[in-house]
Amino acid sequence: QVQLVESGGGLAQPGGSLRLSCAASGFTFSNYSMNWARRAPGKGVEWVSGIESDGIDIYYADSVKGRFSISRDNAKNTLYLQMNNLKPEDTATYYCTKDDPTYGLGSSLKGYGTWGRGTQVTVSS
């Protein structure tokens, strides 16, 4: 079965950095676009970043542009999110998501695809 396992979350100070990883299995990773999304308690889901299957086309939410970088290593079946200059408003549970290629990049945010269990990121002084 499809498995997405996030890791790398934790506590960071404002201005600090964290690197999230998502280990994927149960499907041909290199054939699928992937995303990071986040959810703070009491708030709705926010799409953070997406990357096409070949790693060439990359997109970011305005809230994280210039601070976060998405990447993937198709040989290792792993998705990454480098988070720099963290802010308290980045505090959330971060999820790795796999899209349905029928509906394209970001489709997992619309109910088509698979989500991981998430990893908690807390930014506080």
Side-chain angles (χ1 to χ4, degrees):
Q1 71 278 9
V2 172
Q3 287 190 304
L4 302 170
V5 182
E6 300 94 337
S7 62
L11 177 64
Q13 298 182 47
S17 297
L18 287 172
R19 187 195 192 203
L20 306 184
S21 298
C22 171
S25 61
F27 64 101
T28 303
F29 179 73
S30 60
N31 288 345
Y32 291 83
S33 58
M34 303 290 293
N35 308 267
W36 289 98
R38 65 188 182 186
R39 186 183 182 103
K43 294 187 176 181
V45 170
E46 180 186 15
W47 173 83
V48 173
S49 184
I51 185 168
E52 289 285 9
S53 59
D54 61 5
I56 302 301
D57 294 316
I58 292 170
Y59 305 90
Y60 298 98
D62 288 342
S63 57
V64 306
K65 283 181 180 177
R67 300 189 298 119
F68 291 9
S69 297
I70 192 172
S71 62
R72 65 192 295 159
D73 188 336
N74 284 347
K76 296 182 178 180
N77 293 341
T78 303
L79 178 73
Y80 303 98
L81 186 68
Q82 179 66 47
M83 309 165 66
N84 297 325
N85 192 23
L86 285 162
K87 302 177 179 181
E89 50 262 47
D90 295 320
T91 296
T93 301
Y94 283 72
Y95 300 91
C96 168
T97 79
K98 166 188 173 291
D99 289 332
D100 184 333
T102 300
Y103 301 104
L105 182 67
S107 58
S108 52
L109 280 296
K110 303 174 182 179
Y112 303 98
T114 304
W115 289 52
R117 293 180 178 270
T119 185
Q120 178 65 38
V121 171
T122 301
V123 184
S124 176
S125 60

